[in-house]
Every structure is written in C-alpha cells, then in structure tokens.
Amino acid sequence: MPNLSRRDALSAVVAVPAAACLAGRSRAVAQAVPPAFPGMIVRMRQPLNLEFPFSELKALETPQEQFYVRNHFAVPKLDANAFRLSIEGHVEQPLKLSLADLAALGESTLGNTLECAGNGRIFLIPQVRGLQWGHGAVGNARWTGTPLAAVLERAKVKPGAMEVILVGEDVGAVAGDNPSPGPIPFDRSIPMEKAMKPETILAHSMNGEKLTPNHGAPLRAIVGGWYGMASIKWLRRIIVTDRPYQGFWQTMDYADYERSNGLPSLTPITAMLPKAVIARPTLGDVLPVDREITIFGAAWAGENAVDFVEFSSDEGKSWSNVKFTGRSKPFEWRFWTTTWTPTVRGPAKLLVKATDTKGRTQSMERDPDRRTYRINHLVPVDVLVK
Ligand SMILES: Nc1nc2c(c(=O)[nH]1)N[C@H]1C(S)=C(S)[C@@H](COP(=O)(O)O)O[C@H]1N2
Ligand SMILES: [Mo]
C-alpha cells in the first residue's frame, strides 16, 4: 500500500479532480484510524481501548487479539533489538539489560487473569466518569518472562529498599479536574515484598506468542493477582526506592478509600477481589419456560483460588453451588456451569457469587468507598422467560 503522508494527502486534495480527491482523502482517513479488531467492543479510539465481549467467552486462555486493551496514551513503537531495560535507584549495581540478558537470568511462565480495576463500571448507579466497561475488561493468559526477583538480585538491592517503581515508555499529559503536571509516563510502584514474589514477572510473551504492541511489546510487567494497572506495559525503567512513591497513577488515579479507625484513607489499588460473571445467557435473552438451560461463566479471585460459586434465580433468597470445569488455583480464572429450569413466565434476574479460599466473597451492595474501581458487587443478568 502506498504511504500517503498528510502533506501528500493535502496536495492531492488541491491538485486532482473530485473523484480522485475523495479516494485520496479516504485513504488518509483509513491510515489515521487504528486497525480494526474484529469482535471487540471499541470503548475509545484514541488512545485505543478495547473490551472483550464477555458473552463470547470460550477459551480458558484468551487469545491475544481478543484480550482487552487498556491504553492511557498512544502506543509507543519500540525496537526489540535496540531495547534496553534500565534498573536504577537504591541498588549497588545499576543495569541496562537487553532482552537476551533478561532471558539469561532465567524465565518462568505464569497463568494469570488480568482485570482492569474499572471493569464493570457501566453497571454503577449513578453513572461515574471513566471508561464505561461492561464485564469484558478482563482476560486470562499464560505469561512468560524473567521473574523480577532475578533482576533485583543481579542489581543487588541495598538495605532499606522499600518499593520498586515500574515505568512505561508511553508518555502524555492528563487533562481534566486533576490534571497531571504536564506530560508524565504511565508508572506504578509495588512494595519490595510483592516485587520478590514468583508471580511478578517481566513478560515478553503471552500464550506462547510474542507480545503485540497493544499489550506492551517488547516487555511488560505482570504483577500476578493484582488489578491490571500495576502490570506496566512497554516497561523501560525499574527504580528501586527507599521511600514510598506517590506517583500520579496511585494517588490521583487508581486509588480508593480503605478505612482504619473508621476513617477513610486514600490507598493505591492492589490485589483483585473475588468475582464470578455469567457469560451466557446474556442480558436481555429470551428463554423458553419449562426447559432446562445451561448457565456458563468464569470466576477469579486474584492472589487466591476460587473456592465455590453460587447461583441464584430469586434475587439472592436461595443459592445453589455451580460445577467447575477445571481445578482451582490462585491467579487464574476457572470456568463453571450450572443448569436452571425456569417454571414461571416473566422477567427473571440471574445472579452468581464467588467465594475464595480465604473466605472473601461478593456483596449485593456497592461499597461507595471504592470510588470508581474494584467493582465486584452482584450485577444481575436480566432475562425474559416466555
Ligand atoms: N505503560 C502502560 N502500562 C499499562 C497501561 C498503560 O496505559 N500504559 N494500562 C494499565 C492498565 S489500567 C491495565 S488494566 C492493563 C491492561 O493491559 P492490556 O491492555 O494488555 O489488557 O495495563 C496496564 N499497564
Ligand atoms: Mo486498568
């Protein structure tokens, strides 16, 4: 395809007859629009934000092209050969590592479900600001790369190290009521303890394929069991620090209220909460009366394993356990099914509720302390029985 620059497109508009002029313009427009992602829900075009249509759930491992995309800024294009990861700050041996250097430090693979902290925001009443995700800002993949612990050991972290700041290559200025102080990169700190856990890895691949630019190529962090915002894409710098980091993305954004002594205190968002979601039937489906239907979905619980999932068709008055199709493990979602035979015509509300191995569960009511994040209260699937 000929590469039509903006200036060429403009001169074409001036110089050529109407039909050719239109062709030239539409070609320029086609280049400005990001590639289409078949089947994905476009929540925002620039920067590109794509949602997985949860009712299409089929594979335990979400294919990369169906994995939701959450971008705050334009996708940076990085050259994998020239790529160097910088490790700096409170270390004895600052490092600049190529992808080959990283691989030489050892690799592991982690099955991990990634969910955006704003997943399900469209269901909040009253409506709040932010991307209006349905259920599909979540996906599950096998991530392969070097454990962050191996990199930190090589860099020799100094005594007194507290946090590790992960910095992405993407930069922009955030507008709005709480604007950023000019252009800033997307970043996030994690405590030293989480940085040293085997589930915190610097991944180059998902599901055995190299990362695509949308998912952070050539290298991203995966902070297992935490909401997506900590899993920094296009990872460029790792800074070890001996004091708490209060960056924009964990204070002005991605923070909510935790209470102690009854007082709410703004706290950066960390580990995922338990959640079960029905994939099928879906909102608005019409179901035949007196016929058994299959209810199918997924459940996850961040750092913990899902223990059980319950189903209710009577607005939570009675619950019955669903059946799992796979075994229970931390970090990864599980699929489940159950059956239901509606006997009464009219509207019905279907609910599911996950409980994890630590006894954490989902509540009927939304907790307002969570601001616009960590949405795991029960959201009914409204269907019509005919
Ligand atoms: N550098 C960078 N990393 C980032 C983001 C970003 O905008 N820039 N978005 C974060 C958020 S909020 C989420 S939910 C996940 C989404 O990862 P995905 O787009 O691969 O699904 O990436 C995180 N890492
Ligand atoms: Mo997110």
Side-chain angles (χ1 to χ4, degrees):
M1 220 201 182
N3 196 5
L4 197 66
S5 77
R6 201 184 165 142
R7 217 191 61 222
D8 291 343
L10 287 177
S11 57
V13 170
V14 176
V16 294
C21 154
L22 271 178
R25 276 182 65 191
S26 65
R27 208 188 288 162
V29 168
Q31 284 197 347
V33 171
F37 291 86
M40 298 293 278
I41 303 162
V42 179
R43 290 287 174 208
M44 196 185 277
R45 278 218 174 262
Q46 259 174 347
L48 187 66
N49 281 278
L50 301 174
E51 176 168 343
F52 169 65
F54 202 83
S55 60
E56 298 295 314
L57 184 70
K58 278 176 200 83
L60 265 179
E61 278 173 14
T62 314
Q64 190 162 197
E65 63 280 3
Q66 282 178 27
F67 206 99
Y68 81 98
V69 173
R70 174 68 181 110
N71 292 333
H72 292 76
F73 303 129
V75 172
K77 296 277 181 301
L78 298 173
D79 173 1
N81 294 320
F83 176 82
R84 296 291 179 277
L85 175 70
S86 156
I87 296 97
E88 9 174 326
H90 202 66
V91 295
E92 260 147 42
Q93 183 59 67
L95 301 169
K96 289 228 189 304
L97 301 177
S98 67
L99 293 172
D101 296 335
L102 279 165
L105 290 176
E107 291 197 339
S108 64
T109 293
L110 174 80
N112 181 65
T113 298
L114 201 66
E115 182 186 17
C116 182
N119 191 29
R121 190 175 281 142
I122 204 167
F123 305 112
L124 293 183
I125 301 166
Q127 192 175 24
V128 296
R129 280 195 218 178
L131 284 172
Q132 298 298 304
W133 300 113
H135 289 305
V138 61
N140 183 70
R142 257 181 313 120
W143 310 91
T144 303
T146 303
L148 176 55
V151 175
L152 295 175
E153 272 152 27
R154 168 63 62 93
K156 299 197 180 71
V157 170
K158 289 185 186 163
M162 215 178 155
E163 295 188 353
V164 177
I165 311 172
L166 308 169
V167 188
E169 176 72 16
D170 50 334
V171 173
V174 183
D177 290 344
N178 296 309
S180 61
I184 55 167
F186 193 84
D187 64 13
R188 169 68 204 233
S189 76
I190 58 175
M192 203 61 208
E193 198 204 346
K194 185 70 178 175
M196 295 302 289
K197 290 256 168 82
E199 70 262 24
T200 302
I201 61 176
L202 311 182
H204 53 71
S205 295
M206 62 192 283
N207 301 333
E209 286 170 13
K210 290 275 167 238
L211 292 174
T212 61
N214 271 324
H215 294 293
L219 191 74
R220 77 175 300 168
I222 287 294
V223 181
W226 283 30
Y227 284 105
M229 77 276 125
S231 290
I232 298 297
K233 302 193 278 188
W234 314 293
L235 185 65
R236 210 46 197 286
R237 295 172 71 198
I238 291 178
I239 306 161
V240 179
T241 159
D242 60 355
R243 65 203 65 185
Y245 181 58
Q246 308 242 47
F248 182 91
W249 305 104
Q250 57 204 77
T251 53
M252 305 301 265
D253 208 345
Y254 297 108
D256 66 3
Y257 291 109
E258 309 263 299
R259 287 186 188 253
S260 60
N261 306 308
L263 300 176
S265 168
L266 264 184
T267 310
I269 287 165
T270 58
M272 284 156 55
L273 295 170
K275 190 168 184 176
V277 178
I278 298 173
R280 294 183 287 279
T282 187
L283 195 69
D285 275 358
V286 178
L287 307 174
V289 73
D290 293 329
R291 209 174 305 157
E292 184 180 272
I293 62 145
T294 299
I295 321 257
F296 165 73
W300 58 93
E303 294 170 335
N304 304 328
V306 172
D307 192 5
F308 56 93
V309 169
E310 297 159 284
F311 168 75
S312 172
S313 57
D314 58 8
E315 303 192 25
K317 288 190 227 34
S318 65
W319 296 92
S320 61
N321 275 336
V322 304
K323 283 204 195 82
F324 289 105
T325 55
R327 68 193 178 92
S328 167
K329 38 185 167 167
F331 306 116
E332 274 197 274
W333 69 18
R334 298 177 84 179
F335 285 179
W336 52 263
T337 64
T338 192
T339 55
W340 177 53
T341 308
T343 53
V344 182
R345 287 190 166 83
K349 286 183 189 297
L350 311 181
L351 289 171
V352 280
K353 179 168 72 172
T355 301
D356 72 13
T357 47
K358 297 250 164 77
R360 303 185 308 166
T361 190
Q362 303 182 244
S363 62
M364 296 285 275
E365 299 301 324
R366 169 74 183 157
D367 176 354
D369 283 358
R370 293 191 193 156
R371 304 178 76 212
T372 64
Y373 311 106
R374 298 202 294 157
I375 299 144
N376 83 329
H377 64 292
L378 303 187
V379 175
V381 172
D382 290 282
V383 293
L384 182 63
V385 179
K386 253 185 156 167

